[in-house]
Coordinates of all heavy atoms in Angstrom, one line a residue:
K770 N -23.1 -9.0 18.0 CA -23.0 -9.2 16.6 C -22.0 -10.2 16.2 O -22.0 -10.8 15.1 CB -22.6 -7.8 15.9 CG -23.7 -6.8 16.0 CD -23.4 -5.6 15.1 CE -22.2 -4.7 15.5 NZ -22.1 -3.5 14.7
D774 N -18.1 -8.3 20.0 CA -18.7 -7.2 19.1 C -20.1 -7.0 19.4 O -21.0 -7.8 19.1 CB -18.5 -7.7 17.6 CG -18.8 -6.5 16.7 OD1 -19.1 -5.4 17.1 OD2 -18.9 -6.8 15.4
M775 N -20.4 -5.9 20.1 CA -21.7 -5.7 20.7 C -22.4 -4.5 20.0 O -21.8 -3.6 19.4 CB -21.6 -5.3 22.2 CG -21.5 -6.6 23.0 SD -20.8 -6.1 24.6 CE -19.1 -6.3 24.3
D780 N -26.8 2.6 19.8 CA -26.0 2.7 18.5 C -27.0 2.9 17.4 O -26.8 3.8 16.5 CB -25.3 1.4 18.3 CG -24.3 1.0 19.4 OD1 -24.7 0.7 20.5 OD2 -23.1 1.1 19.1
E803 N -22.1 2.1 10.4 CA -21.8 0.8 11.0 C -23.1 0.0 11.1 O -23.0 -1.2 10.8 CB -21.1 0.9 12.3 CG -21.0 -0.5 13.0 CD -19.9 -0.6 14.1 OE1 -19.5 0.4 14.6 OE2 -19.5 -1.7 14.3
E804 N -24.1 0.6 11.6 CA -25.3 -0.3 12.0 C -26.3 -0.5 10.8 O -27.0 -1.4 10.9 CB -26.0 0.3 13.2 CG -25.1 0.6 14.4 CD -24.3 -0.6 14.8 OE1 -24.7 -1.7 14.5 OE2 -23.2 -0.4 15.5
D819 N -19.9 6.4 12.5 CA -20.0 5.4 13.5 C -20.7 6.1 14.7 O -20.2 7.0 15.3 CB -18.6 4.9 14.0 CG -18.7 3.7 14.9 OD1 -19.8 3.4 15.4 OD2 -17.7 3.0 15.1
I821 N -21.6 5.2 17.7 CA -20.9 5.0 19.0 C -19.7 4.2 18.7 O -19.8 3.0 18.3 CB -21.8 4.4 20.1 CG1 -23.0 5.2 20.4 CG2 -20.9 4.1 21.3 CD1 -24.0 4.6 21.4
D822 N -18.5 4.8 18.8 CA -17.3 4.0 18.6 C -16.8 3.7 20.0 O -16.6 4.7 20.8 CB -16.2 4.7 17.8 CG -15.0 3.8 17.6 OD1 -15.2 2.7 16.9 OD2 -14.0 4.1 18.2
G823 N -16.6 2.4 20.4 CA -16.2 2.1 21.7 C -17.4 1.5 22.4 O -17.7 1.8 23.6
T824 N -18.2 0.7 21.7 CA -19.5 0.2 22.3 C -19.2 -0.7 23.5 O -20.0 -0.6 24.5 CB -20.3 -0.6 21.2 OG1 -20.6 0.3 20.2 CG2 -21.5 -1.2 21.7
A825 N -18.1 -1.4 23.5 CA -17.8 -2.3 24.6 C -17.6 -1.4 25.9 O -18.1 -1.8 27.0 CB -16.6 -3.2 24.4
V894 N -2.9 1.2 20.0 CA -3.2 0.0 19.2 C -4.6 -0.5 19.4 O -5.3 -0.1 20.3 CB -2.2 -1.2 19.6 CG1 -0.8 -0.9 19.3 CG2 -2.4 -1.6 21.0
G895 N -5.1 -1.2 18.4 CA -6.4 -1.8 18.4 C -6.4 -3.2 17.9 O -5.5 -3.5 17.1
F896 N -7.3 -4.0 18.3 CA -7.4 -5.3 17.8 C -8.9 -5.8 17.8 O -9.6 -5.5 18.8 CB -6.5 -6.3 18.6 CG -6.6 -7.7 18.0 CD1 -5.9 -8.0 16.9 CD2 -7.4 -8.7 18.6 CE1 -5.9 -9.3 16.3 CE2 -7.4 -9.9 18.1 CZ -6.7 -10.2 16.9
S897 N -9.3 -6.5 16.8 CA -10.6 -7.1 16.9 C -10.5 -8.6 16.4 O -9.5 -8.9 15.7 CB -11.6 -6.4 16.0 OG -11.3 -6.7 14.6
R899 N -11.9 -9.9 14.1 CA -12.2 -10.0 12.6 C -11.0 -10.6 11.9 O -11.1 -11.1 10.8 CB -12.5 -8.6 12.0 CG -13.8 -8.0 12.5 CD -14.1 -6.7 11.7 NE -13.2 -5.7 12.0 CZ -13.3 -4.8 13.0 NH1 -14.3 -4.9 13.8 NH2 -12.4 -3.9 13.2
R921 N -4.5 0.4 24.7 CA -5.8 0.2 23.9 C -6.9 0.6 24.8 O -7.2 0.0 25.8 CB -5.9 -1.3 23.5 CG -7.2 -1.5 22.7 CD -7.5 -3.0 22.4 NE -8.6 -3.2 21.5 CZ -9.9 -3.2 21.8 NH1 -10.3 -3.2 23.0 NH2 -10.7 -3.4 20.8
N922 N -7.6 1.6 24.4 CA -8.7 2.1 25.3 C -10.1 1.6 24.9 O -11.0 1.8 25.6 CB -8.7 3.6 25.5 CG -9.2 4.4 24.3 OD1 -9.6 3.8 23.2 ND2 -9.3 5.7 24.3
G923 N -10.2 1.0 23.7 CA -11.5 0.5 23.3 C -12.2 1.3 22.2 O -13.3 0.9 21.7
S924 N -11.7 2.5 21.9 CA -12.3 3.3 20.9 C -11.2 3.7 19.9 O -10.4 4.6 20.2 CB -13.0 4.5 21.4 OG -13.3 5.4 20.4
G925 N -11.2 3.0 18.7 CA -10.2 3.3 17.7 C -10.3 4.8 17.2 O -9.3 5.5 17.0
A926 N -11.6 5.2 17.0 CA -11.8 6.6 16.6 C -11.2 7.6 17.5 O -10.5 8.6 17.1 CB -13.3 6.9 16.4
M928 N -8.8 7.1 19.8 CA -7.3 7.0 19.9 C -6.7 7.7 18.7 O -5.6 8.3 18.8 CB -6.9 5.6 20.0 CG -7.4 4.9 21.3 SD -6.8 3.3 21.5 CE -5.3 3.7 22.4
Y940 N -0.9 5.1 15.9 CA -2.0 4.1 16.1 C -1.9 3.1 15.0 O -1.8 3.4 13.9 CB -3.4 4.8 16.1 CG -4.5 3.8 16.4 CD1 -4.8 3.5 17.7 CD2 -5.2 3.1 15.4 CE1 -5.8 2.6 18.0 CE2 -6.2 2.2 15.7 CZ -6.5 2.0 17.0 OH -7.5 1.1 17.3
E942 N -3.8 -0.7 13.9 CA -4.7 -1.8 14.1 C -4.7 -2.6 12.8 O -4.8 -2.1 11.7 CB -6.1 -1.3 14.4 CG -7.1 -2.4 14.6 CD -8.4 -2.0 15.3 OE1 -8.5 -0.9 15.9 OE2 -9.3 -2.8 15.3
H944 N -6.9 -4.6 11.3 CA -8.1 -4.4 10.5 C -9.0 -3.5 11.2 O -9.3 -3.7 12.4 CB -8.8 -5.7 10.2 CG -10.0 -5.5 9.4 ND1 -11.3 -5.2 10.0 CD2 -10.2 -5.4 8.0 CE1 -12.1 -5.0 9.0 NE2 -11.6 -5.1 7.8
I945 N -9.4 -2.5 10.5 CA -10.4 -1.5 11.1 C -11.4 -1.2 10.0 O -11.0 -1.2 8.8 CB -9.7 -0.3 11.7 CG1 -10.6 0.5 12.7 CG2 -9.2 0.7 10.5 CD1 -9.8 1.4 13.6
N946 N -12.6 -0.8 10.3 CA -13.6 -0.4 9.3 C -13.5 1.1 9.1 O -13.1 1.9 9.9 CB -15.0 -0.8 9.7 CG -15.1 -2.3 9.6 OD1 -14.9 -2.9 8.5 ND2 -15.4 -3.0 10.6
W948 N -15.8 3.4 9.1 CA -16.5 4.3 10.0 C -15.7 4.5 11.3 O -16.0 5.5 12.0 CB -17.9 3.7 10.3 CG -17.9 2.3 10.6 CD1 -17.6 1.6 11.7 CD2 -18.3 1.2 9.7 NE1 -17.7 0.3 11.6 CE2 -18.2 0.0 10.3 CE3 -18.7 1.2 8.3 CZ2 -18.4 -1.2 9.7 CZ3 -19.0 0.0 7.7 CH2 -18.9 -1.2 8.4
D949 N -14.7 3.6 11.6 CA -13.9 3.8 12.8 C -12.8 4.8 12.6 O -12.3 5.4 13.6 CB -13.2 2.5 13.2 CG -14.2 1.3 13.4 OD1 -15.2 1.5 14.2 OD2 -14.0 0.2 12.9
Ligands
LIG1346 C1 -14.4 -0.9 17.6 C2 -13.5 0.0 18.3 C3 -12.2 -0.8 18.7 C4 -11.5 -1.3 17.5 C5 -12.4 -2.1 16.7 C6 -13.7 -1.4 16.3 P1 -17.0 -0.4 18.0 O1 -15.6 -0.3 17.2 O2 -13.1 1.1 17.6 O3 -11.3 0.1 19.4 O4 -10.4 -2.0 17.9 O5 -11.8 -2.5 15.4 O6 -14.6 -2.3 15.7 O7 -17.5 -1.8 17.8 O8 -16.8 -0.1 19.4 O9 -17.9 0.6 17.2

Side-chain angles (χ1 to χ4, degrees):
K770 290 196 285 187
D774 188 6
M775 278 161 272
D780 300 70
E803 173 160 20
E804 309 306 339
D819 193 343
I821 296 173
D822 185 67
T824 298
V894 294
F896 183 76
S897 75
R899 293 185 296 271
R921 177 186 194 272
N922 75 357
S924 169
M928 296 187 91
Y940 184 82
E942 181 160 348
H944 178 273
I945 200 164
N946 285 305
W948 44 79
D949 302 313

